[in-house]
Amino acid sequence: MKNNIVTTIALGIFFFMFLDSCKQQENQETLYRSNAFALYKDKVVQGENIAEVVSPTHLTSNYKSPASATFSRLIKFKFSINEKDNELPPGADHWVIINDEETSPLITFGEQPKPFPEQPSTFLPTNYEYTFKVDVSPVLKQFETQGYYEAFDGTKVAKDDFKGFYIAGGSEPLTWDFVNLDQKGLMLKPTDDPNIYSITVTLNPYNEADHQDKQWQPSEDLSGRPKYTSDQPIVDALFNLSLEEAIKNIEPDSTLRTGAKWGGVWTRDVSYSTVLAFAYHEPEVAKISLRRKVKRNRIVQDTGSGGAWPVSSDRTTWCLAAWEIYKVTGDESWLDEIYPIIKNTLEDDYKTIYDHHLGLFSGESSFLDWREQTYPKWMDNRDIYVSQNLGTNIVHFQAHHILAEIAKIKGAPDQMYEQRAQQIKQGINDHLWLEDKGYYAQFLYGRDAMIASPRFEALGEALAILFDVADKEQAASIISRAPLTDYGVTCIYPQIPGIPPYHNNGIWPFVQSYWNWAAAKTGNEEVLNHGLASVYRAAGLFLTNYENMVADTGDFLGTEINSHRMLWSMAGNLAMVHRVFMGMEFQVDGLHLNPVVPEVYGGEKTLSNFKYRNALLNITVKGYGNEIKTVTLNGVASNNAFIPKDAKGNQEIVIELANNSFPHSEMNLVQNHFTPPTVLAEKQDGMLTWKAVEDASTYNIYKNGKLEETTTATEYAIDDNTFASFMVSAVDQKGYEGFASEPVVFAENEQRIEAEAFAETSPLPYTNFSGTGFVALTLDKNKEVVFSVTVEKAGDHFLDFKYANGSGRWNTDNKCAIRSLTVNDNYEGVMVFPQRGQDEWSDWGFSNIVKVPLNAGKNTVKLHFEDWNNNMNVDVNTAMLDYLRVVPYE
């Protein structure tokens, strides 16, 4: 009996010792663990999904996307004319719950839908064919009776501009990407009844081959590439996977392909990728790629919102990449080549998009270039042009700093460019820093007055740290207080309701990589661990570097568009080794090494066969921390971890870290969150009114860009007759503020001055204009139009123009029309006339607003074409001008 008891006790002790030993071993192997997933030295585990390292050149994964298994039976959708969101107000969608039926009820175009029901408890089967039907007779009747259809918001679609009816929605293959509905095959077709249109789609598309277990082994020769080895096999294997993908993304013409699904060179994609990795991995290929994005000795802004530049204005990312290549290579001929390109570009930008009052540049968010994905839906392209974004301004700051540095090297005047850089930096810190949140605002937005969007914007925040726009205290605050979600840092936070995952509710590995680089620079170990795990989880489970993933699930399926083997994602993966673990910082004088290694990534790591100018480097980093204990260069003790620019031949550098604690470890890990929707405000009987917003606790009322009042009411009395522009936002119980409403203007004495009174009336057969006609602005006709404007009182006035531009689609191309504005012989900036739809010349809208001083009595307002008004197309710079609107600001 005693022997049995002793045996039992001994077995129990052994069992607990065994468990403890297993736990200790698991802890030693664990790089990161959360409720969502775990990253180990040799594998990734997310539920039943496991990716494992077989060898440094062999990975396996059984990852299965959950998207098809959880496809809702509740389908939300809208109809569209000409691929525009013009059937129902924002937040109002049609819906069906699909049980066994194959056809929707007949829905009348424009009819108000019923409130959304509860989500069904079961899910839709895969590859489910379903037909949507719509009665479009209200549209066709208006076409016949008045020559146009007037949408809910007052916009008019001319019968002559009609192209077709479309369906948009959030359930694949439906998409809320209105401007690409035709490309995605979502045009409705007429039926036997001319008033009824329909479309049949396959919902919840599923391909069995996409859900098989996968493995990666290289098919390209990696022997001539840098080699990385460490005590973390998962990092080694993903480094090799990314190396191979980088090789595969070099096209036969020696340019860098954007992604597996997307050919060609894109300015911002190749530029951000070059800064992360390709400046040192493929400098000559990067040079050739950047040269493809130059025209007229200026940087090309890719096709984009409203016809590209100046609505989109982050082409200056090219400057970051070009300078990085010079710092890596020291190629003086390259410096000679890029200097005039950068100088010409910045001079045009300064005349076109710089706000001297705020010290900021205007234009779309850098890389966040899909309008409603990061902006309120009421903002059209002229509003996006006016907005002033964090990331874009950081890029402009750095571009000016770079131009000053190049000018110094070349012995040219440099002070003006550095002064401009410092003015931008001051503007960012004066107008975008949010003291209560401890990070920067997303952007300033509005129309005639600007307010800050308090959303967090990850790339801009990271760049602010990396380029020293944020000081050390600000940098530490940004990294520790920024909202981070389970699967990584989201592009923006909080998310926008009703907008599908892409930039909104999305995580992008290249952004995560810049964020990690900033966390490393700041010295925040916990945030860096979280960020590294985000990069390695995704690449490990997916066995490729996808462009993006859904923030809520970490899945590569479910975003609006995606591609594997994305250039900037693989560059980010590679940069985790070079920029973080090796701490590479290329400067004009040489290569500085400042390794940052979290404790769980400690041990010994070596990067060999790394080519730097005329040297071949073998770098070994031992231990962990962000402080260097000792350095040897070619076996000789050194005070600095530094490779001079003139080093030659084999260079052996060994860095031993101090195994120190990091200075910062705070992390703000949060649940993903969506703000209240955008408020719909309007004028009603001299009152500012709006409908109650779901989830709103209070409302902020802004007057002329300043917070006027916070209220729980849904109306506000206007107590004076002076000019006032109001915006209203909803704030939820957690304190998160949604986008503010479209500005509602209360003003008196508005003037409309018809353009045809001051220039030849165009004979073109367009409709829906005011007055007796309109004036064509082209590169041949009316290069200068002078208006006479008479006002009673001297003072500031708002000017804008009603115009049409059918040169291209709403979201792409490069034919935004631009003209300079001079008032009473004073240059006041530019007027921008973005594209409004391909061949839709009877679709009229307003330009940007410019605030100018006018004299009592007569004034001259001149629109004229100057060299800096050349758009990215150069050959086509056309708009139809209806009238000039003048509103006194008093």
Side-chain angles (χ1 to χ4, degrees):
M1 184 73 174
K2 287 182 179 179
N3 289 337
N4 289 339
I5 293 172
V6 171
T7 301
T8 301
I9 292 171
L11 287 172
I13 293 171
F14 175 79
F15 177 72
F16 283 111
M17 289 176 64
F18 175 75
L19 285 179
D20 186 61
S21 173
C22 290
K23 188 175 181 180
Q24 288 183 26
Q25 183 177 359
E26 182 182 9
N27 287 339
Q28 291 171 358
E29 298 298 315
T30 303
L31 299 176
Y32 179 83
R33 178 188 293 278
S34 72
N35 293 330
F37 68 94
L39 175 68
Y40 300 94
K41 291 183 177 180
D42 61 353
K43 62 184 175 182
V44 184
V45 178
Q46 182 180 322
E48 296 180 354
N49 299 302
I50 300 174
E52 295 186 279
V53 178
V54 180
S55 76
T57 55
H58 189 183
L59 285 158
T60 63
S61 176
N62 68 349
Y63 182 78
K64 306 292 188 298
S65 168
S68 295
T70 56
F71 198 99
S72 177
R73 292 180 181 272
L74 174 61
I75 311 297
K76 299 178 182 180
F77 59 98
K78 284 182 179 178
F79 298 107
S80 161
I81 306 173
N82 291 357
E83 300 179 271
K84 293 183 179 178
D85 188 359
N86 51 15
E87 187 205 6
L88 297 169
D93 301 327
H94 301 299
W95 58 268
V96 293
I97 292 179
I98 302 175
N99 292 308
D100 298 324
E101 66 277 6
E102 298 176 350
T103 304
S104 75
L106 182 63
I107 298 167
T108 301
F109 190 98
E111 73 178 10
Q112 289 299 308
K114 296 177 181 178
F116 296 130
E118 295 292 324
Q119 280 283 351
S121 58
T122 60
F123 301 105
L124 193 70
T126 58
N127 297 323
Y128 195 98
E129 284 202 357
Y130 191 79
T131 300
F132 295 89
K133 297 190 300 181
V134 59
D135 178 357
V136 297
S137 58
V139 180
L140 301 181
K141 286 176 183 176
Q142 287 195 36
F143 278 166
E144 292 306 314
T145 58
Q146 57 194 31
Y148 61 84
Y149 173 76
E150 186 167 350
F152 67 90
D153 59 355
T155 58
K156 298 174 182 178
V157 180
K159 178 182 178 181
D160 291 342
D161 288 347
F162 175 71
K163 298 187 186 73
F165 296 106
Y166 298 84
I167 187 171
S171 302
E172 195 178 3
L174 304 185
T175 174
W176 291 117
D177 181 14
F178 281 88
V179 291
N180 286 311
L181 295 176
D182 188 64
Q183 177 185 324
K184 296 184 178 182
L186 295 174
M187 176 186 253
L188 284 83
K189 303 297 183 185
T191 64
D192 293 338
D193 184 335
N195 290 318
I196 309 300
Y197 279 61
S198 72
I199 186 172
T200 300
V201 299
T202 302
L203 295 167
N204 196 10
Y206 179 86
N207 183 355
E208 182 64 34
D210 293 336
H211 293 76
Q212 302 297 318
D213 291 358
K214 294 180 172 64
Q215 63 176 339
W216 169 79
Q217 290 178 286
S219 57
E220 300 284 345
D221 181 11
L222 303 181
S223 61
R225 303 283 163 166
K227 182 179 180 181
Y228 178 75
T229 58
S230 71
D231 294 341
Q232 296 82 40
I234 189 73
V235 178
D236 303 358
L238 291 175
F239 179 84
N240 288 329
L241 179 150
S242 299
L243 272 183
E244 185 192 38
E245 292 200 327
I247 295 171
K248 289 183 174 181
N249 271 39
I250 300 175
E251 299 278 40
D253 64 356
S254 295
T255 60
L256 289 166
R257 183 181 180 88
T258 301
K261 293 183 180 179
W262 299 312
V265 180
W266 291 80
T267 303
R268 72 174 64 91
D269 297 54
V270 76
S271 297
Y272 281 127
S273 302
T274 296
V275 174
L276 283 168
F278 285 97
Y280 50 85
H281 262 291
E282 295 287 352
E284 293 306 316
V285 174
K287 284 181 188 177
I288 295 169
S289 301
L290 290 181
R291 287 185 180 115
R292 290 292 176 89
K293 309 311 297 182
V294 176
K295 187 175 183 178
R296 296 177 54 247
N297 225 18
R298 288 160 172 82
I299 303 164
V300 171
Q301 182 77 45
D302 291 317
T303 56
S305 299
W309 187 83
V311 176
S312 298
S313 62
D314 69 339
R315 58 180 177 163
T316 40
T317 53
W318 191 98
C319 308
L320 316 182
W323 177 240
E324 196 68 20
I325 291 171
Y326 172 72
K327 290 190 295 181
V328 169
T329 64
D331 185 345
E332 296 298 332
S333 63
W334 174 248
L335 199 69
D336 291 340
E337 182 178 346
I338 67 175
Y339 177 52
I341 296 169
I342 295 174
K343 185 177 179 181
N344 292 340
T345 300
L346 297 193
E347 288 296 339
D348 284 358
D349 282 354
Y350 192 74
K351 294 186 181 80
T352 305
I353 57 177
Y354 184 64
D355 184 329
H356 292 266
H357 301 292
L358 298 180
L360 296 172
F361 281 76
S362 64
E364 194 167 40
S365 303
S366 183
F367 115 87
L368 301 172
D369 61 339
W370 189 332
R371 295 140 306 281
E372 64 271 17
Q373 280 284 333
T374 46
Y375 292 95
K377 281 196 171 184
W378 59 261
M379 285 182 69
D380 62 20
N381 288 316
R382 51 85 187 255
D383 298 316
I384 292 174
Y385 161 74
V386 171
S387 68
Q388 293 156 327
N389 167 262
L390 172 64
T392 303
N393 272 280
I394 301 289
V395 170
H396 283 291
F397 158 78
Q398 187 67 2
H400 281 83
H401 177 66
I402 286 168
L403 181 56
E405 291 297 307
I406 296 174
K408 281 181 190 176
I409 293 171
K410 300 189 73 62
D414 64 273
Q415 288 186 349
M416 178 176 69
Y417 304 115
E418 189 57 45
Q419 286 172 357
R420 289 179 182 177
Q422 294 309 311
Q423 289 167 355
I424 302 166
K425 179 177 178 177
Q426 187 69 45
I428 292 167
N429 282 302
D430 284 349
H431 302 292
L432 290 172
W433 180 255
L434 302 174
E435 191 65 39
D436 61 325
K437 295 187 178 297
Y439 49 76
Y440 292 101
Q442 177 187 18
F443 48 62
L444 302 181
Y445 69 116
R447 192 165 287 160
D448 36 44
M450 310 295 276
I451 65 173
S453 167
R455 278 184 168 85
F456 165 84
E457 191 249 294
L459 180 61
E461 309 280 355
L463 296 178
I465 294 169
L466 293 172
F467 298 148
D468 295 321
V469 170
D471 61 30
K472 287 186 178 181
E473 184 178 335
Q474 288 175 308
S477 174
I478 291 167
I479 293 295
S480 63
R481 297 179 65 183
L484 307 179
T485 63
D486 280 342
Y487 294 103
V489 62
T490 54
C491 293
I492 60 171
Y493 190 95
Q495 314 308 324
I496 307 168
I499 301 297
Y502 185 60
H503 295 139
N504 185 60
N505 198 22
I507 296 169
W508 289 52
F510 102 88
V511 175
Q512 183 72 65
S513 299
Y514 274 103
W515 179 254
N516 295 353
W517 190 0
K521 178 179 178 178
T522 306
N524 191 312
E525 184 173 18
E526 191 167 356
V527 172
L528 179 55
N529 274 334
H530 172 267
L532 290 168
S534 174
V535 171
Y536 294 139
R537 180 205 71 90
L541 289 176
F542 309 153
L543 297 185
T544 184
N545 290 287
Y546 268 101
E547 181 167 52
N548 51 61
M549 53 189 135
V550 180
D552 289 324
T553 63
D555 189 19
F556 65 89
L557 288 179
T559 63
E560 284 286 77
I561 53 175
N562 207 351
S563 176
H564 61 290
R565 216 179 74 219
M566 280 301 296
L567 187 72
W568 46 17
S569 299
M570 68 183 73
N573 203 318
L574 292 169
M576 295 306 91
V577 166
H578 299 98
R579 299 297 197 177
V580 177
F581 296 146
M582 296 291 121
M584 289 183 168
E585 183 181 347
F586 298 90
Q587 293 296 348
V588 173
D589 63 345
L591 173 58
H592 299 253
L593 299 168
N594 299 288
V596 180
V597 180
E599 184 173 358
V600 293
Y601 287 87
E604 185 170 310
K605 42 187 61 66
T606 299
L607 180 68
S608 57
N609 197 36
F610 184 87
K611 297 174 184 177
Y612 169 64
R613 299 196 182 187
N614 294 316
L616 191 64
L617 309 184
N618 295 317
I619 307 168
T620 298
V621 176
K622 298 179 180 180
Y624 64 88
N626 68 341
E627 297 175 6
I628 294 175
K629 182 179 179 181
T630 64
V631 180
T632 62
L633 179 60
N634 299 323
V636 178
S638 175
N639 292 326
N640 300 302
F642 173 68
I643 305 294
K645 64 181 181 181
D646 55 358
K648 296 180 180 179
N650 292 330
Q651 302 285 323
E652 299 279 345
I653 186 165
V654 179
I655 302 169
E656 184 179 353
L657 297 176
N659 292 346
N660 63 289
S661 299
F662 282 57
H664 305 287
S665 61
E666 304 85 359
M667 179 170 69
N668 183 23
L669 190 63
V670 299
Q671 294 293 315
N672 202 13
H673 188 75
F674 291 77
T675 66
T678 303
V679 173
L680 299 175
E682 61 181 351
K683 283 191 290 190
Q684 203 169 69
D685 300 325
M687 299 278 291
L688 176 67
T689 67
W690 59 93
K691 293 181 180 179
V693 169
E694 185 180 358
D695 298 327
S697 176
T698 58
Y699 300 93
N700 286 339
I701 301 171
Y702 296 90
K703 178 181 179 181
N704 297 335
K706 304 293 183 183
L707 180 62
E708 179 82 359
E709 186 174 310
T710 297
T711 181
T712 57
T714 56
E715 62 180 20
Y716 182 76
I718 309 302
D719 55 8
D720 59 51
N721 294 323
T722 60
F723 175 92
S725 176
F726 289 94
M727 300 172 73
V728 183
S729 66
V731 183
D732 65 21
Q733 291 184 345
K734 292 186 176 181
Y736 289 108
E737 183 178 10
F739 282 133
S741 65
E742 183 172 8
V744 179
V745 175
F746 291 78
E748 295 184 343
N749 303 319
E750 174 186 306
Q751 291 189 65
R752 295 184 179 184
I753 302 171
E754 295 291 339
E756 63 270 23
F758 298 94
E760 180 185 359
T761 301
S762 172
L764 293 167
Y766 308 142
T767 61
N768 295 340
F769 52 84
S770 72
T772 59
F774 55 89
V775 170
L777 302 181
T778 73
L779 295 177
D780 300 319
K781 296 179 180 179
N782 301 310
K783 292 186 73 171
E784 178 177 299
V785 178
V786 181
F787 293 78
S788 178
V789 177
T790 302
V791 298
E792 291 184 5
K793 293 172 61 177
D796 289 335
H797 288 69
F798 290 113
L799 307 183
D800 61 358
F801 292 86
K802 192 78 174 284
Y803 80 98
N805 182 350
S807 298
R809 291 159 60 88
W810 186 270
N811 68 313
T812 187
D813 221 320
N814 57 8
K815 304 182 185 76
C816 179
I818 311 164
R819 294 296 184 273
S820 291
L821 177 71
T822 297
V823 178
N824 296 329
D825 296 325
N826 295 313
Y827 178 70
E828 297 289 353
V830 301
M831 304 306 298
V832 173
F833 309 102
Q835 298 165 185
R836 297 186 59 82
Q838 183 67 52
D839 299 322
E840 294 179 37
W841 288 101
S842 297
D843 183 329
W844 301 87
F846 284 101
S847 69
N848 58 305
I849 295 172
V850 176
K851 186 178 179 182
V852 301
L854 294 181
N855 303 320
K858 288 188 177 181
N859 298 265
T860 58
V861 174
K862 182 169 68 173
L863 271 185
H864 50 108
F865 183 84
E866 302 294 341
D867 184 60
W868 61 86
N869 299 145
N870 274 294
N871 60 19
M872 295 297 101
N873 181 274
V874 179
D875 297 326
V876 178
N877 196 322
T878 301
M880 303 298 135
L881 209 60
D882 191 0
Y883 61 79
L884 163 65
R885 182 168 63 174
V886 182
V887 179
Y889 180 70
E890 57 181 14

